[in-house]
Protein backbone atom coordinates (compact mmCIF):
# COMPACT_ATOMS: atom_id res chain seq x y z
CA UNK A 1 0.00 0.00 0.00
CA UNK A 2 2.94 2.26 0.65
CA UNK A 3 4.23 1.80 -2.88
CA UNK A 4 0.80 2.64 -4.30
CA UNK A 5 0.80 6.05 -2.50
CA UNK A 6 4.26 6.83 -3.89
CA UNK A 7 3.08 6.14 -7.45
CA UNK A 8 0.08 8.46 -6.99
CA UNK A 9 2.32 11.27 -5.72
CA UNK A 10 4.68 10.74 -8.68
CA UNK A 11 1.84 11.01 -11.21
CA UNK A 12 0.57 14.24 -9.56
CA UNK A 13 4.04 15.80 -9.66
CA UNK A 14 4.47 14.90 -13.34
CA UNK A 15 1.11 16.54 -14.16
CA UNK A 16 2.10 19.74 -12.30
CA UNK A 17 5.45 19.86 -14.17
CA UNK A 18 3.71 19.43 -17.56
CA UNK A 19 1.25 22.20 -16.63
CA UNK A 20 4.06 24.65 -15.76
CA UNK A 21 5.96 23.81 -18.94
CA UNK A 22 2.84 24.35 -21.06
CA UNK A 23 2.07 27.68 -19.35
CA UNK A 24 5.48 29.07 -20.37
CA UNK A 25 4.49 28.81 -24.05
CA UNK A 26 1.07 30.42 -23.59
CA UNK A 27 0.49 33.70 -25.47
CA UNK A 28 -2.73 35.59 -24.85
CA UNK A 29 -4.82 36.38 -27.84
CA UNK A 30 -5.89 39.90 -28.65
CA UNK A 31 -9.25 40.34 -27.06
CA UNK A 32 -10.62 41.23 -23.67
CA UNK A 33 -7.92 39.33 -21.77
CA UNK A 34 -5.05 40.39 -24.04
CA UNK A 35 -5.34 44.17 -23.42
CA UNK A 36 -4.46 43.95 -19.74
CA UNK A 37 -0.84 42.81 -20.20
CA UNK A 38 1.23 45.87 -21.13
CA UNK A 39 4.66 44.24 -20.81
CA UNK A 40 4.25 42.43 -24.15
CA UNK A 41 3.34 45.57 -26.10
CA UNK A 42 5.90 47.86 -27.78
CA UNK A 43 7.21 50.59 -25.43
CA UNK A 44 6.29 54.21 -26.07
CA UNK A 45 9.13 56.80 -26.05
CA UNK A 46 9.26 59.08 -23.02
CA UNK A 47 8.15 62.66 -23.44
CA UNK A 48 11.43 64.66 -23.21
CA UNK A 49 11.38 68.25 -24.46
CA UNK A 50 14.71 67.93 -26.36
CA UNK A 51 16.20 64.44 -26.52
CA UNK A 52 19.35 65.51 -28.42
CA UNK A 53 22.75 65.34 -26.70
CA UNK A 54 24.15 68.71 -25.66
CA UNK A 55 27.80 68.35 -26.58
CA UNK A 56 28.77 71.68 -24.99
CA UNK A 57 27.57 70.40 -21.59
CA UNK A 58 29.39 67.09 -22.10
CA UNK A 59 32.66 68.93 -22.86
CA UNK A 60 32.21 71.30 -19.91
CA UNK A 61 31.72 68.35 -17.53
CA UNK A 62 34.61 66.45 -19.08
CA UNK A 63 37.01 69.40 -18.57
CA UNK A 64 35.86 70.01 -14.99
CA UNK A 65 38.65 69.49 -12.48
CA UNK A 66 38.01 67.58 -9.27
CA UNK A 67 38.80 69.62 -6.19
CA UNK A 68 38.90 67.33 -3.17
CA UNK A 69 38.35 68.46 0.39
CA UNK A 70 41.20 66.40 1.82
CA UNK A 71 39.22 63.28 2.75
CA UNK A 72 40.45 59.89 1.65
CA UNK A 73 37.36 57.92 0.57
CA UNK A 74 39.21 54.65 1.18
CA UNK A 75 40.17 55.47 4.76
CA UNK A 76 38.27 54.16 7.77
CA UNK A 77 38.91 57.40 9.68
CA UNK A 78 36.18 59.99 9.87
CA UNK A 79 36.51 63.53 8.55
CA UNK A 80 38.56 66.03 10.53
CA UNK A 81 36.58 68.49 12.64
CA UNK A 82 36.40 72.00 11.22
CA UNK A 83 39.00 74.48 12.43
CA UNK A 84 37.39 77.12 14.60
CA UNK A 85 39.30 80.41 14.66
CA UNK A 86 40.34 81.47 18.14
CA UNK A 87 39.64 85.14 18.91
CA UNK A 88 42.70 87.23 19.73
CA UNK A 89 43.03 87.93 23.44
CA UNK A 90 45.13 91.00 24.20
CA UNK A 91 48.29 90.15 26.12
CA UNK A 92 49.71 92.23 28.96
CA UNK A 93 51.33 95.32 27.53
CA UNK A 94 49.16 95.41 24.36
CA UNK A 95 46.44 97.99 23.82
CA UNK A 96 43.29 96.87 25.62
CA UNK A 97 45.14 94.17 27.53
CA UNK A 98 45.63 93.80 31.25
CA UNK A 99 48.31 95.95 32.88
CA UNK A 100 51.80 94.56 33.20
CA UNK A 101 52.39 93.36 36.74
CA UNK A 102 56.04 93.17 37.70
CA UNK A 103 56.99 89.74 38.94
CA UNK A 104 59.00 89.67 42.13
CA UNK A 105 62.21 87.70 41.74
CA UNK A 106 62.43 84.49 43.74
CA UNK A 107 64.06 84.80 47.15
CA UNK A 108 67.83 84.64 47.06
CA UNK A 109 69.33 81.44 48.46
CA UNK A 110 72.78 80.00 48.85
CA UNK A 111 73.50 76.90 46.78
CA UNK A 112 71.43 73.93 47.99
CA UNK A 113 74.54 71.93 48.87
CA UNK A 114 75.80 74.65 51.26
CA UNK A 115 74.92 74.23 54.96
CA UNK A 116 75.13 76.84 57.74
CA UNK A 117 76.07 74.62 60.66
CA UNK A 118 77.36 77.00 63.34
CA UNK A 119 78.71 80.36 64.51
CA UNK A 120 81.16 81.62 67.10
CA UNK A 121 83.24 84.51 68.48
CA UNK A 122 86.97 84.94 68.82
CA UNK A 123 87.78 85.72 72.50
CA UNK A 124 89.56 89.05 71.90
CA UNK A 125 87.47 90.07 68.81
CA UNK A 126 83.88 91.34 68.75
CA UNK A 127 83.11 90.06 65.23
CA UNK A 128 81.05 86.90 64.86
CA UNK A 129 82.09 84.14 62.52
CA UNK A 130 79.85 81.73 60.62
CA UNK A 131 80.77 78.16 59.70
CA UNK A 132 79.48 76.94 56.33
CA UNK A 133 79.99 73.60 54.63
CA UNK A 134 79.76 72.81 50.91
CA UNK A 135 80.51 69.12 50.40
CA UNK A 136 84.12 68.67 51.61
CA UNK A 137 84.82 72.44 51.71
CA UNK A 138 84.39 74.38 54.98
CA UNK A 139 84.10 78.18 54.92
CA UNK A 140 84.65 80.40 57.97
CA UNK A 141 83.44 83.96 57.28
CA UNK A 142 83.09 87.18 59.29
CA UNK A 143 80.34 89.79 58.96
CA UNK A 144 81.27 91.95 55.93
CA UNK A 145 83.28 89.18 54.17
CA UNK A 146 82.50 87.93 50.68
CA UNK A 147 81.62 84.25 50.28
CA UNK A 148 82.60 82.52 47.00
CA UNK A 149 83.11 85.95 45.41
CA UNK A 150 79.37 86.35 45.05
CA UNK A 151 77.67 86.74 48.44
CA UNK A 152 78.45 89.44 51.05
CA UNK A 153 77.74 88.37 54.64
CA UNK A 154 75.65 91.10 56.32
CA UNK A 155 74.73 89.71 59.75
CA UNK A 156 75.30 86.49 61.67
CA UNK A 157 72.46 85.75 64.13
CA UNK A 158 71.95 82.89 66.55
CA UNK A 159 69.56 81.04 64.18
CA UNK A 160 70.23 82.57 60.74
CA UNK A 161 72.73 84.11 58.39
CA UNK A 162 71.79 87.23 56.38
CA UNK A 163 73.60 87.82 53.09
CA UNK A 164 73.41 89.94 49.93
CA UNK A 165 74.24 89.08 46.32
CA UNK A 166 77.03 91.41 45.23
CA UNK A 167 75.93 91.79 41.59
CA UNK A 168 72.21 92.45 42.06
CA UNK A 169 71.85 93.68 45.63
CA UNK A 170 69.16 91.10 46.40
CA UNK A 171 69.10 89.87 49.97
CA UNK A 172 68.58 86.40 51.38
CA UNK A 173 68.71 84.42 54.56
CA UNK A 174 69.99 80.95 55.46
CA UNK A 175 68.81 79.24 58.65
CA UNK A 176 71.03 77.30 61.00
CA UNK A 177 70.84 73.59 60.32
CA UNK A 178 70.82 71.40 63.40
CA UNK A 179 73.01 68.40 62.80
CA UNK A 180 72.04 66.74 66.06
CA UNK A 181 74.33 64.65 68.25
CA UNK A 182 76.87 62.46 66.54
CA UNK A 183 77.06 58.87 67.76
Amino acid sequence: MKQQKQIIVLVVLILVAVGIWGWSFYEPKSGSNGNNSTFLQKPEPLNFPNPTIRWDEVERRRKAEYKGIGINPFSTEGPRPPVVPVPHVPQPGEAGGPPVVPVAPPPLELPASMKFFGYGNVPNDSARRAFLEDGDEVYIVNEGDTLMGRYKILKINNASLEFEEVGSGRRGQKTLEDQGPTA
Side-chain angles (χ1 to χ4, degrees), residues 64-128:
E65 185 177 322
Y66 173 73
K67 295 176 184 172
I69 56 173
I71 297 175
N72 183 357
F74 304 106
S75 173
T76 58
E77 298 176 6
R80 292 185 209 121
V83 177
V84 178
V86 179
H88 176 71
V89 177
Q91 298 297 319
E94 290 182 7
V100 177
V101 178
V103 178
L108 181 64
E109 294 185 10
L110 290 175
S113 62
M114 186 165 289
K115 296 179 182 178
F116 171 43
F117 66 91
Y119 61 93
N121 288 343
V122 177
N124 293 332
D125 194 7
S126 63
R128 279 191 145 180

Side-chain angles (χ1 to χ4, degrees), residues 7-180:
I7 291 175
I8 292 173
V9 170
L10 179 65
V11 170
V12 170
L13 287 175
I14 290 175
L15 288 175
V16 170
V18 169
I20 291 173
W21 183 67
W23 184 263
S24 66
F25 291 108
Y26 173 73
E27 292 185 20
K29 298 178 181 174
S30 61
S32 64
N33 291 340
N35 289 339
N36 291 339
S37 61
T38 58
F39 69 93
L40 295 175
Q41 296 176 355
K42 290 189 175 184
E44 293 181 15
L46 297 175
N47 188 15
F48 284 123
N50 186 3
T52 59
I53 297 176
R54 293 190 53 200
W55 291 106
D56 58 335
E57 282 293 314
V58 171
E59 282 302 312
R60 186 179 67 81
R61 301 272 171 123
R62 188 177 292 162
K63 291 179 182 177
E65 185 177 322
Y66 173 73
K67 295 176 184 172
I69 56 173
I71 297 175
N72 183 357
F74 304 106
S75 173
T76 58
E77 298 176 6
R80 292 185 209 121
V83 177
V84 178
V86 179
H88 176 71
V89 177
Q91 298 297 319
E94 290 182 7
V100 177
V101 178
V103 178
L108 181 64
E109 294 185 10
L110 290 175
S113 62
M114 186 165 289
K115 296 179 182 178
F116 171 43
F117 66 91
Y119 61 93
N121 288 343
V122 177
N124 293 332
D125 194 7
S126 63
R128 279 191 145 180
R129 294 190 178 167
F131 305 105
L132 297 132
E133 175 186 41
D134 187 11
D136 292 337
E137 293 286 323
V138 176
Y139 298 97
I140 302 172
V141 292
N142 292 329
E143 290 180 351
D145 286 351
T146 303
L147 175 67
M148 298 171 63
R150 182 174 174 191
Y151 305 103
K152 182 178 180 183
I153 306 301
L154 299 176
K155 185 155 181 128
I156 301 170
N157 296 320
N158 292 342
S160 65
L161 171 73
E162 295 179 17
F163 58 94
E164 178 182 68
E165 189 174 36
V166 175
S168 66
R170 294 188 313 162
R171 294 182 175 221
Q173 188 172 357
K174 181 80 171 173
T175 58
L176 180 66
E177 296 183 25
D178 183 24
Q179 293 183 351

